[in-house]
Amino acid sequence: MKVFRYVLGGLGVLTIAIGARLVAGVPDPLGVLVWLAGALVLHDGIIAPVVLAAGLLVAAVPARGHLRGALVTGGALVLVTLPALLRPGSPVNPSALPLPYGRNLLIVLAAVAVVTAALALARRHHRRGPRP
């Protein structure tokens, strides 16, 4: 187990060294470092506390497994769609974003909510068993 820990540590240090070398080769390394610092602040200051608070709120819900799955799925969908939603102006290539991403995101999130509710109700019905 100790060897495995050293191997993982060595791989981590190697990865950091590769990343540092790549950042040093960028024409504006300060911009990259500012972006990385902003990502760190965004994650540790906003995203992690929101996820922890949501987890505490969901802990008392009977169908918490389904709800957690829906929240993770919805969060991933929003994170993937966010760059397209926040991009200022129209795209250089009009075929890159031909659809209304905001509306479609809401439709997909509604579908996730409906499927989650159906699964939770089906599980609740299954636990009760058949009625005599």
Side-chain angles (χ1 to χ4, degrees):
M1 191 65 163
K2 200 172 189 180
V3 172
F4 186 66
R5 205 182 296 171
Y6 285 125
V7 168
L8 284 179
L11 287 174
V13 170
L14 178 66
T15 304
I16 290 171
I18 291 170
R21 184 159 189 243
L22 289 173
V23 168
V26 172
D28 181 25
L30 183 62
V32 173
L33 294 176
V34 167
W35 186 89
L36 287 172
L40 181 68
V41 168
L42 176 69
H43 178 271
D44 290 354
I46 297 173
I47 295 174
V50 168
V51 169
L52 289 173
L56 287 174
L57 292 173
V58 170
V61 175
R64 63 183 164 268
H66 292 97
L67 189 55
R68 284 180 186 156
L71 288 173
V72 167
T73 302
L77 287 168
V78 169
L79 285 177
V80 167
T81 312
L82 207 57
L85 289 173
L86 298 179
R87 185 176 189 166
S90 59
V92 177
N93 180 359
S95 66
L97 299 173
L99 302 172
Y101 274 74
R103 182 198 70 192
N104 291 349
L105 175 64
L106 291 177
I107 291 171
V108 172
L109 289 176
V112 168
V114 167
V115 169
T116 301
L119 287 172
L121 289 174
R123 183 172 183 166
R124 182 177 175 192
H125 179 70
H126 179 69
R127 281 189 175 172
R128 283 188 181 170
R131 292 187 180 179

